[in-house]
Amino acid sequence: MRWNFDNSYTRLPGPFFARVLPTPVHSPVLVLLNRALAGDLGLDVDALQGPDGQQMLGGNLQGPGSEPIAQAYAGHQFGHFTVLGDGRAHLLGEHLAPDGRRVDIQLKGSGPTPYSRRGDGRAALGPMLREYLISEAMHGLGIPTTRSLAVVATGERVFREEALPGAVLARVADSHIRVGTFQYAAALDAGMGVPGQQGSSARDAAGEAGGADFTRALADYTLRRHYPELAEGPTRYMDLLEAVIERQAALIANWMRVGFVHGVMNTDNMTLSGETIDYGPCAFMDDYDPATVFSSIDRQGRYAFANQARIGQWNLARLAETLLPLLHPEPETALAQAEEAIGRFPARFSAHWHATMRAKLGLGNEEAGDEALGDALLEWMQRTGADYTNTFRDLSAPAAMTSPASVNAASGDPEFEAWHTRWRERLGRQPGAAEDALQRMRAANPAVIPRNHRVEEALAAAVETGDLGPARRLLDALIDPCDERLDDSEYRQPPAPEQRVYQTFCGT
Ligand code: AMP
Ligand code: MG
């Protein structure tokens, strides 16, 4: 299969992981294979599809150089601190791609680990297909994300509220280092015991001295792996914090560009690499409403569409806390520096969001009134229940440059026409051709997103009748979602009232 494993995470101190093999499954059958991704990773696509490939992707067979581990981490879930860890995932190893990239190859749903708590270590087919679909859609939309290499049906049942077909997802990521991994390291430094090991404190287990050794080991590792240009500098831990803040600010603005609501922005679901991770109850907004929440478990709207930047900052503050002992020997100075860095997040996020909105409106230069122009459109959309994706995409067509009527949702609304006049005047005040503005807009405003009703329809066909056709067709449309050929795609259609999806479920 041409695996080229070179494992570095296992060189961290012992308490960061547990060596544990996936639990074999009854009869692994490949349901989806991401041939394009496999090719990019230098893997042998035919071998992956063959009997050994299916066995390996199902967790029954270890490839050469694979050293399966479950990673330990902690995290704030809906604001409450918990010690977690991969309860149903195995990191098979780090694969070196032909282009030199190092990626984690992880199986999810591959059986229990020392961190499973009361869980069965398994996953159902529907949620694993959902992660495959949405993560690949995010990649197509140009948003940093973990990827999906394959979904394998296990031939076993998992029991949730009912018996469901089981599956294993093969996930590819720059790494699985989370804010929660740093929280775990800090807890070890504070003398917490190692989960799964009775009686011994982490320091005994690792044979290390006190201080911030676990956090330092993890921070140094993260710097080398994701921010090598910062790894040797005298202020490297502050530089790391600032780099992560920057990537997360950019990421969340990018989510909002396409109407994405993550739904479970717990600190264990925020990566140090800046990739989107953990596609549980996430969903895309149809009509624009900043209060949009889909997740059935998010009863307070903590992770609502327009709350995501604020929660991002809260999560980053948890990261900053873990780094305090590394920032400065004087605790008060360390705290002041961390607070200052976290305090800069709103401005960094706003800069990314305003740049995003300018691109969505076709603006290539900056004017004082741009923010108000974008806000006025969003307010109009919220008031009229206009479709977020389609309104921006309709505006990205040549006809919209002259006629407000080409925006479907607006049909003859005088308030929209007034906004449209403002927008056209603003476009007229920037240098460059109208075609440049259109190009900017077409790149920022996708024609197709994985609308919830189409995702649910594809998953139902796959799970209930074994028909992967709808999922494959949806995936095809999402490879290049800004392509002009998709302007009259059936996937642009918002849900009819009876098709609307109001709630999504983790399905864990
Ligand atoms: P999530 O909400 O998906 O981020 O998961 C939170 C934690 O629950 C992680 O540590 C998972 O590994 C764990 N978990 C979720 N589902 C299961 C399961 N079926 N068995 C064991 N652990 C699980
Ligand atoms: Mg998670």
Side-chain angles (χ1 to χ4, degrees):
M1 286 168 247
R2 300 208 206 105
W3 291 110
N4 184 19
F5 285 117
D6 174 72
N7 308 321
S8 61
Y9 204 81
T10 47
R11 294 200 283 274
L12 281 172
F16 279 106
F17 57 91
R19 293 186 190 269
V20 54
L21 294 178
T23 304
V25 298
H26 185 267
S27 43
V29 173
L30 202 52
V31 176
L32 284 175
L33 176 67
N34 192 335
R35 301 172 66 95
L37 175 59
D40 289 346
L41 294 176
L43 299 173
D44 180 338
V45 178
D46 292 328
L48 279 175
Q49 271 177 309
D52 280 2
Q54 307 204 32
Q55 294 287 334
M56 188 202 156
L57 294 168
N60 290 7
L61 191 78
Q62 268 63 65
S66 164
E67 297 174 275
I69 57 169
Q71 290 174 308
Y73 51 87
H76 277 90
Q77 300 191 303
F78 293 91
H80 302 283
F81 184 77
T82 332
V83 178
L84 301 155
D86 291 330
R88 54 162 175 175
H90 294 77
L91 176 61
L92 299 184
E94 297 148 36
H95 169 76
L96 297 182
D99 63 4
R101 251 186 89 200
R102 172 184 296 271
V103 290
D104 275 7
I105 307 291
Q106 192 206 58
L107 298 185
K108 183 167 170 183
S110 43
T113 75
Y115 315 116
S116 296
R117 295 176 291 171
R118 285 175 301 281
D120 61 1
R122 292 301 186 190
L125 178 60
M128 295 304 99
L129 287 174
R130 191 163 206 282
E131 169 152 351
Y132 187 116
L133 267 168
I134 310 264
S135 65
E136 288 308 299
M138 292 291 269
H139 176 70
L141 288 162
I143 298 173
T145 176
T146 63
R147 303 287 306 275
S148 295
L149 179 62
V151 173
V152 166
T154 59
E156 295 174 4
R157 305 254 128 200
V158 297
F159 297 92
R160 296 298 178 254
E161 254 117 60
E162 52 190 323
L164 298 167
V168 174
L169 173 83
R171 177 155 81 179
V172 177
D174 277 350
S175 85
H176 286 82
I177 305 168
R178 309 147 188 267
V179 169
T181 317
F182 277 80
Q183 294 181 281
Y184 176 78
L188 291 178
D189 282 327
M192 180 193 74
V194 181
Q197 274 179 299
Q198 298 270 305
S200 66
S201 93
R203 286 197 204 117
D204 301 338
E208 309 240 346
D213 295 343
F214 288 104
T215 309
R216 189 184 303 276
L218 182 63
D220 287 340
Y221 178 82
T222 306
L223 277 160
R224 282 195 302 275
R225 188 153 173 190
H226 296 301
Y227 304 92
E229 69 285 2
L230 307 176
E232 306 301 331
T235 55
R236 56 186 173 277
Y237 303 116
M238 179 49 80
D239 296 345
L240 171 65
L241 177 60
E242 288 188 331
V244 176
I245 288 173
E246 181 62 21
R247 282 197 197 174
Q248 286 295 336
L251 180 67
I252 295 169
N254 217 346
W255 289 352
M256 292 174 66
R257 171 173 66 86
V258 299
F260 178 76
V261 186
H262 183 287
V264 261
M265 289 178 71
N266 296 332
T267 55
D268 55 304
N269 293 335
M270 184 181 261
T271 60
L272 274 281
S273 68
E275 288 184 311
T276 312
I277 193 170
D278 206 311
Y279 294 95
C282 62
F284 288 78
M285 181 165 73
D286 292 301
D287 49 285
Y288 177 74
D289 180 357
T292 300
V293 175
F294 292 104
S295 169
S296 62
I297 55 172
D298 188 5
R299 293 195 192 87
Q300 318 284 321
R302 180 180 170 93
Y303 302 143
F305 177 76
N307 250 356
Q308 297 185 107
R310 212 169 317 146
I311 288 293
Q313 184 184 17
W314 191 89
N315 290 349
L316 291 163
R318 304 290 78 74
L319 173 66
E321 283 166 1
T322 71
L323 294 174
L324 288 174
L326 307 183
L327 294 181
H328 200 277
E330 206 53 65
E332 275 168 32
T333 311
L335 186 62
Q337 288 180 356
E339 280 177 347
E340 209 185 306
I342 294 298
R344 281 193 292 269
F345 177 87
R348 291 312 307 144
F349 168 74
S350 290
H352 284 289
W353 174 240
H354 294 142
T356 298
M357 194 45 82
R358 278 198 305 276
K360 288 178 81 65
L361 294 174
L363 306 178
N365 64 350
E366 265 183 75
E367 265 189 22
D370 291 347
E371 216 178 299
L373 184 70
D375 287 347
L377 177 63
L378 292 177
E379 274 157 33
W380 174 83
M381 288 171 64
Q382 186 179 358
R383 200 155 12 87
T384 58
D387 187 87
Y388 185 65
T389 304
N390 286 352
T391 300
F392 279 107
R393 187 67 183 187
D394 286 350
L395 276 174
S396 315
M401 292 258 158
T402 49
S403 158
S406 63
V407 175
N408 264 312
S411 61
D413 181 333
E415 282 182 49
F416 180 81
E417 284 173 11
W419 180 86
H420 190 269
T421 304
R422 249 171 98 188
W423 175 58
R424 258 172 33 205
E425 286 168 1
R426 172 65 183 88
L427 284 175
R429 290 195 299 271
Q430 70 177 354
E435 184 49 39
D436 299 340
L438 279 171
Q439 231 166 37
R440 269 193 288 277
M441 294 178 75
R442 281 196 299 261
N445 299 318
V448 173
I449 54 162
R451 290 183 185 270
N452 306 321
H453 65 299
R454 301 313 297 263
V455 172
E456 295 306 320
E457 168 194 78
L459 299 186
V463 174
E464 286 159 25
T465 66
D467 179 8
L468 269 300
R472 291 219 171 86
R473 284 192 291 279
L474 182 55
L475 279 165
D476 274 346
L478 290 163
I479 290 173
D480 190 6
C482 292
D483 191 313
E484 278 168 73
R485 281 168 298 186
L486 292 170
D487 275 331
D488 42 31
S489 160
E490 54 162 321
Y491 293 112
R492 287 198 64 192
Q493 198 63 41
E498 72 279 8
Q499 292 175 311
R500 277 191 69 129
V501 175
Y502 294 97
Q503 259 199 349
T504 50
F505 301 88
C506 280
T508 46

